[in-house]
Amino acid sequence: MGQLTREQIKINKVKTSKIDSIDFNNLAFGQVFSDHMLTCDYIDGKWQLPQIEPFAPISLMPSAKIFHYGQSIFEGMKAYKDSNNDIFLFRPLDNVKRLNISAKRLAIPEIPEDYFMEGLKALLNIEKDWIPTKEGSSLYIRPFTFATGEGFHASPADNYKFIIACAPSGSYFAGKVKVLIEEKYSRSANGGVGFAKAGGNYAGQFYPTQLAKDKGYQQVIWTDDTTHEYIEEAGAMNVFVRINDTLLTSPVSDRILDGVTRKSILELAKAEGIKTEVRKIKVSELVEAAKNGSLKEIFGAGTAAVISPISGFGFRDQDFDLPEIKDTFGEKLKNKIVAIQTNKTEDPFGWRIKV
C-alpha cells in the first residue's frame, strides 16, 4: 500500500452550506455539526480510499454487528485557528496511535496513519470556516470506527466504517464540579477494555453517574474494581490531585486511559518545576488530606475540557469542600496548554502541528 495523497481523496461538497445559520458566539459542546465528514470503508479485507461527503445520516442493516456486539471505538481531538487564520492540531499522532490500540483490543482493523492524517487535513481545509475563534471555543473532532458487517453470530464483523465528524464547540463544562467517590460500580476491570476508547466503556458509566447526580453531584470518581480503595478516573477524564505542592495522578493500566492531556500535563508540570508523582492514590489518603488541609486541588483532565476543576467530593455520606485558592496548578497548566494549542506561545515540546 503506497502513501495516500490528498489528491486520492474523493470530495463531494454540499450544495449549500448551513454555516450562516450558526451562532458561533453561543455554541454548546458537540451539538452543532459542520457541513462535511470523512468516511472510509473496510471491505474485502482492506481499507478503501477515504472520501469527504456531506454530513448526513448513515444507512445500516438491522443485522449490522455494531448493534449486537458493540465493536465501536472513537477518539477526541480539537482544531484551533490563530489570528492569522492558520489551523493547528494538538498531538494528533497520539490520537492515531491510541485509536489503533483500541482497534486491536476490539478486533477491529487498524486504520493506516496516512489515511487518518491526510484525510483529517483534507477535511479541515474544507471546514476551515467552521473553526471558531472565540476564546474557549474550538472545532471538536470525533474520529470513530464501528462494525458494519452483518450477522447474529457472536464474532468480529468483516466490514467496518471509519468516520471523522466535526462539531464547532464552546466550553465542555461551565465552572467547577462536585464529585462522588464510587464504591459499588466499576468503570473497568483488569484484563478488560478500560484503556481503550470503546463506546461501551462510556455506556456503562451513565447509570452510576445518574445515581450520583440524583444525590446532588455532577460526576463520579471511579475507584479500582477489586477493593475500591484507590481512585482512578474522574467521570470520563483522568484525575489529578494536588496535596500540598505535589501533583499526583494514577498510573495508566488496563483500567485507565492513557490520556493525551494527561501526558501533556505531566510533561508541562515537570518543565514548570512542579513536583509530580505517578502512583496509586488511596481514597483514605484523599480523605485524610481533605481533613488536615493539605488537599489543595483535584481536577479532571481530557481533550474536551482540557482541565476541569473539582470543588469538592463526597464519600460515605460526608462531603469535603476544597479550599478557594489563587494561582492553582490546574489553571496555570490549562492556560499554558491552551496557549500552545492556539499558537499564542512557543511550543518547546513539538506538540502543535500546522495543517
Side-chain angles (χ1 to χ4, degrees):
M1 183 186 297
Q3 181 78 16
L4 179 76
T5 63
R6 197 81 55 88
E7 291 72 28
Q8 290 176 283
I9 300 172
K10 182 181 177 181
I11 298 174
N12 176 26
K13 289 189 177 182
V14 295
K15 293 180 180 179
T16 304
S17 174
K18 59 179 181 286
I19 195 168
D20 290 338
S21 66
I22 307 303
D23 182 0
F24 279 81
N25 291 315
N26 293 286
L27 289 169
F29 186 88
Q31 298 295 314
V32 173
F33 305 99
S34 66
D35 287 326
H36 301 90
M37 60 184 182
L38 179 93
T39 66
C40 186
D41 289 299
Y42 184 87
I43 302 172
D44 297 330
K46 65 179 182 180
W47 287 103
Q48 309 300 305
L49 289 176
Q51 58 184 12
I52 293 172
E53 55 191 77
F55 184 87
I58 302 166
S59 177
L60 292 175
M61 295 298 289
S63 52
K65 288 196 173 185
I66 176 57
F67 302 130
H68 307 281
Y69 303 113
Q71 279 182 289
S72 174
I73 56 174
F74 70 95
E75 275 298 318
M77 309 169 66
K78 289 179 177 177
Y80 307 86
K81 190 186 290 183
D82 68 6
S83 56
N84 294 321
N85 283 326
D86 289 326
I87 302 168
F88 296 92
L89 293 165
F90 184 72
R91 304 188 71 165
L93 295 180
D94 290 84
N95 293 102
V96 184
K97 179 180 178 181
R98 192 172 62 183
L99 185 72
N100 282 331
I101 288 172
S102 299
K104 186 175 181 180
R105 181 62 182 83
L106 270 74
I108 294 172
E110 297 178 28
I111 190 78
E113 181 183 298
D114 55 328
Y115 278 42
F116 187 111
M117 289 302 301
E118 290 305 316
L120 175 56
K121 290 176 180 178
L123 180 63
L124 291 177
N125 278 318
I126 290 173
E127 305 291 72
K128 60 189 176 200
D129 291 339
W130 284 91
I131 304 174
T133 55
K134 183 182 177 182
E135 196 78 21
S137 298
S138 60
L139 185 70
Y140 185 77
I141 301 166
R142 172 55 58 88
F144 58 106
T145 308
F146 59 95
T148 57
E150 298 176 48
F152 294 150
H153 186 270
S155 60
D158 51 1
N159 295 336
Y160 297 85
K161 184 178 284 287
F162 171 68
I163 294 178
I164 302 179
C166 301
S169 298
S171 298
Y172 190 72
F173 287 121
K176 296 183 179 181
V177 298
K178 193 175 180 181
V179 298
L180 177 67
I181 294 179
E182 179 58 54
E183 289 194 279
K184 178 181 179 180
Y185 298 99
S186 298
R187 177 188 171 274
S188 57
N190 287 329
V193 296
F195 66 92
K197 283 191 76 70
N201 287 345
Y202 297 81
Q205 293 184 35
F206 295 153
Y207 177 66
T209 302
Q210 187 56 55
L211 294 180
K213 288 180 178 179
D214 292 343
K215 295 178 181 179
Y217 303 92
Q218 286 77 48
Q219 268 298 348
V220 165
I221 283 189
W222 302 102
T223 53
D224 68 285
D225 65 302
T226 306
T227 67
H228 294 290
E229 291 182 4
Y230 299 93
I231 68 169
E232 295 199 331
E233 290 199 352
M237 297 185 286
N238 295 118
V239 63
F240 282 81
V241 172
R242 175 186 173 185
I243 296 179
N244 290 319
D245 286 329
T246 300
L247 194 60
L248 312 172
T249 194
S250 304
V252 295
S253 66
D254 284 352
R255 304 183 307 275
I256 299 176
L257 187 72
D258 186 13
V260 175
T261 306
R262 173 189 177 277
K263 291 188 289 189
S264 304
I265 288 171
L266 289 171
E267 291 182 57
L268 188 56
K270 182 179 179 181
E272 291 294 315
I274 296 173
K275 183 181 178 182
T276 61
E277 292 181 10
V278 179
R279 62 171 175 82
K280 291 183 175 182
I281 306 165
K282 277 196 168 186
V283 175
S284 58
E285 180 183 6
L286 193 67
V287 171
E288 179 58 31
K291 289 180 177 178
N292 65 31
S294 60
L295 179 62
K296 306 300 182 184
E297 295 177 65
I298 306 175
F299 56 81
T303 297
V306 184
I307 287 176
S308 179
I310 292 170
S311 61
F313 67 92
F315 180 65
R316 295 182 179 174
D317 298 320
Q318 190 172 2
D319 283 338
F320 300 89
D321 293 324
L322 272 71
E324 291 281 347
I325 59 176
K326 294 181 179 180
D327 302 321
T328 63
F329 285 177
E331 184 178 16
K332 179 180 181 180
L333 293 169
K334 179 176 181 177
N335 289 340
K336 288 187 174 292
I337 289 174
V338 172
I340 291 172
Q341 291 171 333
T342 54
N343 197 32
K344 292 180 180 177
T345 188
E346 294 298 317
D347 174 18
F349 307 98
W351 292 338
R352 187 174 59 227
I353 292 183
K354 186 175 179 180
V355 175

PDB file of all heavy atoms in Angstrom, residues 9 89 95 133 144 169 335 339 342:
ATOM      1  N   ILE A   9      -8.191  11.527  -2.421  1.00  0.00           N
ATOM      2  CA  ILE A   9      -9.400  11.609  -1.609  1.00  0.00           C
ATOM      3  C   ILE A   9     -10.519  12.248  -2.426  1.00  0.00           C
ATOM      4  O   ILE A   9     -10.439  13.414  -2.825  1.00  0.00           O
ATOM      5  CB  ILE A   9      -9.150  12.429  -0.321  1.00  0.00           C
ATOM      6  CG1 ILE A   9      -8.048  11.750   0.505  1.00  0.00           C
ATOM      7  CG2 ILE A   9     -10.437  12.559   0.501  1.00  0.00           C
ATOM      8  CD1 ILE A   9      -7.591  12.569   1.692  1.00  0.00           C
ATOM      9  N   LEU A  89      -3.391  21.464  14.965  1.00  0.00           N
ATOM     10  CA  LEU A  89      -3.825  20.297  15.727  1.00  0.00           C
ATOM     11  C   LEU A  89      -2.870  20.103  16.899  1.00  0.00           C
ATOM     12  O   LEU A  89      -1.722  20.561  16.866  1.00  0.00           O
ATOM     13  CB  LEU A  89      -3.824  19.041  14.854  1.00  0.00           C
ATOM     14  CG  LEU A  89      -4.856  18.998  13.730  1.00  0.00           C
ATOM     15  CD1 LEU A  89      -4.499  17.894  12.734  1.00  0.00           C
ATOM     16  CD2 LEU A  89      -6.254  18.778  14.282  1.00  0.00           C
ATOM     17  N   ASN A  95      -3.330  10.500  18.957  1.00  0.00           N
ATOM     18  CA  ASN A  95      -4.704  10.032  18.774  1.00  0.00           C
ATOM     19  C   ASN A  95      -4.771   8.870  17.790  1.00  0.00           C
ATOM     20  O   ASN A  95      -5.523   7.916  17.991  1.00  0.00           O
ATOM     21  CB  ASN A  95      -5.603  11.170  18.311  1.00  0.00           C
ATOM     22  CG  ASN A  95      -5.778  12.244  19.366  1.00  0.00           C
ATOM     23  OD1 ASN A  95      -5.147  13.295  19.282  1.00  0.00           O
ATOM     24  ND2 ASN A  95      -6.609  11.989  20.359  1.00  0.00           N
ATOM     25  N   THR A 133     -13.234  31.070  16.575  1.00  0.00           N
ATOM     26  CA  THR A 133     -12.085  31.809  17.082  1.00  0.00           C
ATOM     27  C   THR A 133     -12.354  32.456  18.431  1.00  0.00           C
ATOM     28  O   THR A 133     -11.462  33.042  19.028  1.00  0.00           O
ATOM     29  CB  THR A 133     -11.678  32.911  16.079  1.00  0.00           C
ATOM     30  OG1 THR A 133     -12.821  33.739  15.806  1.00  0.00           O
ATOM     31  CG2 THR A 133     -11.184  32.300  14.775  1.00  0.00           C
ATOM     32  N   PHE A 144     -14.071   7.984  14.544  1.00  0.00           N
ATOM     33  CA  PHE A 144     -14.612   6.769  15.144  1.00  0.00           C
ATOM     34  C   PHE A 144     -14.727   5.662  14.103  1.00  0.00           C
ATOM     35  O   PHE A 144     -14.842   5.910  12.901  1.00  0.00           O
ATOM     36  CB  PHE A 144     -15.963   7.027  15.824  1.00  0.00           C
ATOM     37  CG  PHE A 144     -17.062   7.577  14.948  1.00  0.00           C
ATOM     38  CD1 PHE A 144     -18.116   6.778  14.535  1.00  0.00           C
ATOM     39  CD2 PHE A 144     -17.056   8.913  14.552  1.00  0.00           C
ATOM     40  CE1 PHE A 144     -19.145   7.282  13.755  1.00  0.00           C
ATOM     41  CE2 PHE A 144     -18.085   9.432  13.770  1.00  0.00           C
ATOM     42  CZ  PHE A 144     -19.137   8.607  13.368  1.00  0.00           C
ATOM     43  N   SER A 169     -17.489  23.975  18.875  1.00  0.00           N
ATOM     44  CA  SER A 169     -17.973  23.843  20.241  1.00  0.00           C
ATOM     45  C   SER A 169     -17.416  24.909  21.168  1.00  0.00           C
ATOM     46  O   SER A 169     -16.290  25.371  21.005  1.00  0.00           O
ATOM     47  CB  SER A 169     -17.596  22.466  20.804  1.00  0.00           C
ATOM     48  OG  SER A 169     -18.199  21.426  20.062  1.00  0.00           O
ATOM     49  N   ASN A 335      -3.901  27.082  31.129  1.00  0.00           N
ATOM     50  CA  ASN A 335      -3.579  28.274  30.340  1.00  0.00           C
ATOM     51  C   ASN A 335      -2.380  28.032  29.429  1.00  0.00           C
ATOM     52  O   ASN A 335      -2.347  28.481  28.280  1.00  0.00           O
ATOM     53  CB  ASN A 335      -3.309  29.463  31.261  1.00  0.00           C
ATOM     54  CG  ASN A 335      -4.574  29.974  31.929  1.00  0.00           C
ATOM     55  OD1 ASN A 335      -5.685  29.712  31.465  1.00  0.00           O
ATOM     56  ND2 ASN A 335      -4.421  30.697  33.025  1.00  0.00           N
ATOM     57  N   ALA A 339      -2.534  27.897  25.373  1.00  0.00           N
ATOM     58  CA  ALA A 339      -1.680  28.847  24.649  1.00  0.00           C
ATOM     59  C   ALA A 339      -0.852  28.130  23.584  1.00  0.00           C
ATOM     60  O   ALA A 339      -0.648  28.647  22.480  1.00  0.00           O
ATOM     61  CB  ALA A 339      -0.772  29.590  25.624  1.00  0.00           C
ATOM     62  N   THR A 342      -3.312  26.999  20.680  1.00  0.00           N
ATOM     63  CA  THR A 342      -3.838  28.092  19.859  1.00  0.00           C
ATOM     64  C   THR A 342      -2.745  28.969  19.242  1.00  0.00           C
ATOM     65  O   THR A 342      -3.032  30.042  18.725  1.00  0.00           O
ATOM     66  CB  THR A 342      -4.789  28.965  20.698  1.00  0.00           C
ATOM     67  OG1 THR A 342      -4.112  29.402  21.892  1.00  0.00           O
ATOM     68  CG2 THR A 342      -6.033  28.179  21.106  1.00  0.00           C
TER      69      THR A 342
END
